[in-house]
Amino acid sequence: MKILMISSETVPWAKTGGLADVVSALSITLAKSGHDVRIVIPRYYSIDKTKLEQLPGEMGTPMGEGVEEWSAVYTTTMPGTTKENPVKVYFIDHEIFFGRDGIYGNSNQTDFVDNPRRFTFFCYAAFQLCRKIKWFPDVLHAHDWPAAVAPVYLKFAERFPGSDFENTVSVLTIHNLGYQGIYHKDNFNYSGLGWDVFYKGGFEDFKMMNMLKAGLYSSDKINTVSPNYAEETKTQALGFRLDGVLRYRSSDYYGILNGIDSDLWNPEKDTNIPQTYSKKDISGKAKAKEALQKEFGLARDANVPIIGMITRLTDQKGLGELFGPAYGSAWSICRDMDLQMVILGTGEKWCENEILSLASRLSNFKAKINYSEKLSHLIEAGSDFFLMPSLYEPCGLNQMYSLVYGTIPIVRSTGGLVDTVENFNEKTGEGTGFMFDHLTPSSIYNTVGWAVWAWYNRRKDIEKMRIRGMSKNFSWESSAQNYVEMYEAARKDRGITSVL
Ligand code: ADP
Ligand code: GLC
């Protein structure tokens, strides 16, 4: 199948979270099984265009309000793919929209005011790109709200008898329902779509324009990144006001668990840690722990458990309950328990400040407020436990990285965390992690306390849990197969015969 991934992020060029990992790993896996997969992303300033090849000529994209946007198009091949099965990546280079620091915003403006235009343009540019390269996909696969208007263009403007997109189906993946792209409806004029589409395409949202909602209405199939989150999002509690839409679309709505890139996240081949290790010989993990303690300036002690965290610092991750001024439990956890804690993250200012303030007062709590791919590998390998007290978690990648690195997750039972972690059973010693239900400072305190108790009193069980986690297989192959089945189902619904 010819599959076009439309995304605002993909590694190794642009990443703020798991979306970027997923888009590239899924594409690589699909390409390995013989599909012709291409990705289109914006050419942000941080992407060095001298390392890319420019396609000849400029590309014009007609938008509403009589505007024609001009952009250059760059291309390259995804690292890790072969000549026989490459994943081609295209970069839309539009100076006014993308020639600035930041993907969605920066320190001056957390959400750029022209984001509705930037990403509406990007969605339509994807169609112009296909025409430019004379390659028309069987599947247009959009990711999250920045790409969500692409399926709307397909349904209402591009897919008609005789068109090059006549047999194209669309899929929209929700990586995070918390971000929907809701803007003033005046922005809709710029899309160039008729105002009837504002209503029948699903944009209308209490008189605002909701880009994700339109995608959810207009895509042939939709999915999210774990089976449990798919169920949760159909409820009022976790549906972010779109639970009604998701219930309405439930027969076309799938939950497909993310995999992890086992070339990048694999303790047996990881070049970012001092010594590789496996479940047969785990000695390299102790070396990583030592290196981690050194890196963060912690006391070198093999016997004290290290709790690691790597996260975007936002409410989604349960950080109010952990670091909230006066009520968060991190202070009492570090004060009362014999443990060390390290955190790597960037995000909301209040949270960065609280973390730095805690680090200045506690000798067993250390933090780095930055983004470091390399350090994230050392934390996964060198920690004994990994804490994710998420408020909601569509899938979560870090708990899967933790499991395969022999690092035991301590997680709230929500979203994909439920699909990937099994709670410790004190009677049988079974399980792969420690879980709690209610997001309160005291639940986090008690569950970390439970894990630390097990560390000092049930070491044999802990070692077995490690090995159980390391034996898990989160490879992309089976998830990619589920995506193929969803693509096929969309094609079947439109009466297109299987290409497989
Ligand atoms: P989300 O996408 O909601 O942030 P995921 O668990 O799916 O959550 O993915 C987060 C990804 O981003 C992981 O690969 C994680 O290691 C990475 N990450 C987040 N913050 C940082 C950071 N400060 N430095 C390095 N990697 C980070
Ligand atoms: C989102 C979610 C996260 C998920 C990731 C990749 O950012 O918050 O849970 O793992 O997307 O799908």
Side-chain angles (χ1 to χ4, degrees), residues 17-22 144 173-176 179 225 258 312 316-317 388 392-400:
L19 163 69
D21 296 287
V22 169
D144 270 354
T173 300
I174 307 169
H175 294 265
N176 196 329
Y179 301 89
V225 289
N258 283 334
R312 290 183 294 120
Q316 178 198 339
K317 302 296 177 180
M388 288 177 80
Y392 70 95
E393 196 62 78
C395 179
L397 299 176
N398 279 111
Q399 81 281 10
M400 296 195 266

Coordinates of all heavy atoms in Angstrom, one line a residue, residues 17-22 144 173-176 179 225 258 312 316-317 388 392-400, ligand 2:
G17 N 7.4 14.9 22.1 CA 6.9 13.8 22.9 C 6.8 12.6 22.1 O 7.4 12.5 21.0
G18 N 6.1 11.6 22.6 CA 6.0 10.2 22.0 C 5.5 10.2 20.6 O 5.8 9.3 19.8
L19 N 4.7 11.2 20.2 CA 4.2 11.2 18.8 C 5.3 11.1 17.8 O 5.2 10.3 16.8 CB 3.4 12.6 18.6 CG 3.2 13.1 17.2 CD1 2.1 12.2 16.5 CD2 2.7 14.5 17.2
A20 N 6.4 11.8 18.0 CA 7.5 11.8 17.1 C 8.1 10.4 17.0 O 8.5 9.9 15.9 CB 8.6 12.8 17.5
D21 N 8.2 9.7 18.1 CA 8.8 8.3 18.1 C 7.9 7.4 17.3 O 8.3 6.6 16.5 CB 8.9 7.8 19.5 CG 9.9 8.5 20.4 OD1 11.1 8.4 20.2 OD2 9.4 9.3 21.3
V22 N 6.6 7.5 17.6 CA 5.6 6.6 17.0 C 5.6 6.8 15.5 O 5.5 5.8 14.7 CB 4.2 6.8 17.7 CG1 3.2 6.1 16.9 CG2 4.3 6.4 19.1
D144 N -2.9 13.4 15.1 CA -3.2 14.5 16.1 C -3.8 15.7 15.4 O -3.8 15.8 14.2 CB -2.0 14.8 17.0 CG -2.0 14.0 18.2 OD1 -2.9 13.3 18.5 OD2 -1.0 14.1 19.0
T173 N -5.1 9.3 13.8 CA -4.7 8.7 15.1 C -4.7 9.8 16.1 O -4.1 10.8 15.9 CB -3.3 8.1 15.0 OG1 -3.3 7.0 14.0 CG2 -2.8 7.5 16.3
I174 N -5.4 9.5 17.2 CA -5.3 10.4 18.4 C -4.2 10.0 19.3 O -4.2 8.9 19.9 CB -6.6 10.3 19.2 CG1 -7.9 10.5 18.4 CG2 -6.6 11.2 20.4 CD1 -9.2 10.1 19.1
H175 N -3.2 10.8 19.4 CA -2.2 10.5 20.4 C -2.4 11.2 21.7 O -1.9 10.8 22.7 CB -0.8 11.0 19.8 CG -0.4 10.2 18.6 ND1 0.5 9.2 18.7 CD2 -0.7 10.4 17.3 CE1 0.7 8.7 17.5 NE2 0.0 9.4 16.6
N176 N -3.3 12.2 21.7 CA -3.6 12.9 22.9 C -4.8 13.8 22.7 O -4.8 14.8 22.0 CB -2.4 13.8 23.3 CG -2.4 14.3 24.7 OD1 -3.5 14.5 25.2 ND2 -1.3 14.5 25.3
Y179 N -5.2 17.9 23.4 CA -4.8 18.9 22.5 C -5.7 18.8 21.3 O -5.6 17.8 20.6 CB -3.3 18.9 22.1 CG -2.4 18.9 23.3 CD1 -2.0 17.7 24.0 CD2 -1.9 20.1 23.8 CE1 -1.2 17.8 25.0 CE2 -1.0 20.2 24.8 CZ -0.7 19.0 25.5 OH 0.2 19.0 26.6
V225 N -4.0 5.2 20.8 CA -2.8 4.4 20.9 C -2.7 3.4 22.0 O -1.6 2.8 22.2 CB -1.6 5.4 21.0 CG1 -1.3 6.1 19.6 CG2 -1.8 6.4 22.1
N258 N 0.8 1.2 21.0 CA 2.1 1.6 20.4 C 3.1 0.5 20.7 O 3.0 -0.2 21.7 CB 2.6 2.9 21.1 CG 2.0 4.1 20.6 OD1 1.5 4.2 19.5 ND2 2.0 5.1 21.4
R312 N 7.5 15.4 29.9 CA 7.1 16.8 29.7 C 6.5 17.3 31.0 O 5.7 16.5 31.6 CB 6.1 16.8 28.6 CG 6.6 16.5 27.2 CD 5.5 16.7 26.2 NE 4.4 15.7 26.3 CZ 3.1 15.9 26.5 NH1 2.7 17.2 26.6 NH2 2.2 15.0 26.7
Q316 N -0.9 16.8 32.6 CA -1.2 15.4 32.2 C -0.4 14.4 32.9 O -0.9 13.2 33.1 CB -1.0 15.3 30.6 CG -1.3 13.9 30.1 CD -0.6 13.6 28.8 OE1 -0.2 14.6 28.0 NE2 -0.4 12.4 28.4
K317 N 0.7 14.7 33.3 CA 1.6 13.7 33.9 C 1.5 13.6 35.4 O 2.3 12.9 36.1 CB 3.1 14.1 33.5 CG 3.3 14.2 32.0 CD 3.0 12.8 31.3 CE 3.2 12.9 29.8 NZ 2.9 11.6 29.1
M388 N 5.5 7.2 36.9 CA 4.6 7.9 36.0 C 3.2 8.0 36.6 O 2.3 7.2 36.4 CB 4.5 7.1 34.7 CG 5.7 7.2 33.8 SD 5.5 6.1 32.3 CE 4.5 7.2 31.2
Y392 N -3.8 11.3 32.8 CA -4.3 10.4 31.8 C -3.1 10.1 30.9 O -2.1 10.8 30.9 CB -5.4 11.1 31.0 CG -5.0 12.2 30.1 CD1 -4.7 12.0 28.7 CD2 -5.0 13.5 30.6 CE1 -4.4 13.1 27.9 CE2 -4.6 14.6 29.8 CZ -4.3 14.4 28.5 OH -3.9 15.4 27.7
E393 N -3.1 9.0 30.2 CA -2.0 8.6 29.4 C -2.4 7.7 28.2 O -2.7 6.5 28.3 CB -1.0 7.7 30.3 CG 0.4 7.6 29.7 CD 1.1 8.9 29.5 OE1 1.6 9.5 30.5 OE2 1.1 9.4 28.4
P394 N -2.5 8.4 27.0 CA -3.0 7.6 25.9 C -2.3 6.3 25.7 O -2.9 5.3 25.4 CB -2.8 8.6 24.7 CG -3.0 9.9 25.4 CD -2.4 9.8 26.8
C395 N -1.0 6.3 25.7 CA -0.3 5.0 25.7 C 0.9 5.1 26.7 O 0.9 4.4 27.7 CB 0.3 4.7 24.4 SG 1.2 3.1 24.4
G396 N 1.8 6.1 26.5 CA 3.0 6.1 27.3 C 4.1 5.2 26.7 O 3.8 4.1 26.4
L397 N 5.2 5.8 26.5 CA 6.3 5.0 26.0 C 7.3 4.6 27.1 O 7.9 3.6 27.1 CB 7.0 5.7 24.9 CG 6.2 6.1 23.7 CD1 7.0 6.9 22.7 CD2 5.7 4.8 23.0
N398 N 7.5 5.6 28.0 CA 8.5 5.4 29.0 C 8.4 4.2 29.9 O 9.3 3.6 30.3 CB 8.7 6.7 29.9 CG 9.5 7.7 29.1 OD1 9.0 8.7 28.7 ND2 10.8 7.4 28.9
Q399 N 7.1 3.8 30.2 CA 6.9 2.6 31.0 C 7.4 1.4 30.2 O 7.9 0.4 30.8 CB 5.5 2.5 31.5 CG 4.5 1.9 30.5 CD 4.0 2.9 29.5 OE1 4.6 4.0 29.4 NE2 3.0 2.6 28.7
M400 N 7.2 1.4 28.9 CA 7.7 0.2 28.1 C 9.2 0.2 28.0 O 9.8 -0.8 28.1 CB 7.0 0.3 26.7 CG 5.5 0.2 26.8 SD 4.8 -0.2 25.1 CE 4.4 1.4 24.6
Ligands
GLC2 C1 1.0 11.3 23.3 C2 0.6 10.7 24.6 C3 1.4 9.4 25.0 C4 1.6 8.5 23.8 C5 2.2 9.3 22.7 C6 2.5 8.5 21.4 O1 1.8 12.3 23.4 O2 0.6 11.6 25.7 O3 0.7 8.7 26.0 O4 2.5 7.5 24.1 O5 1.4 10.4 22.3 O6 1.4 7.9 20.9

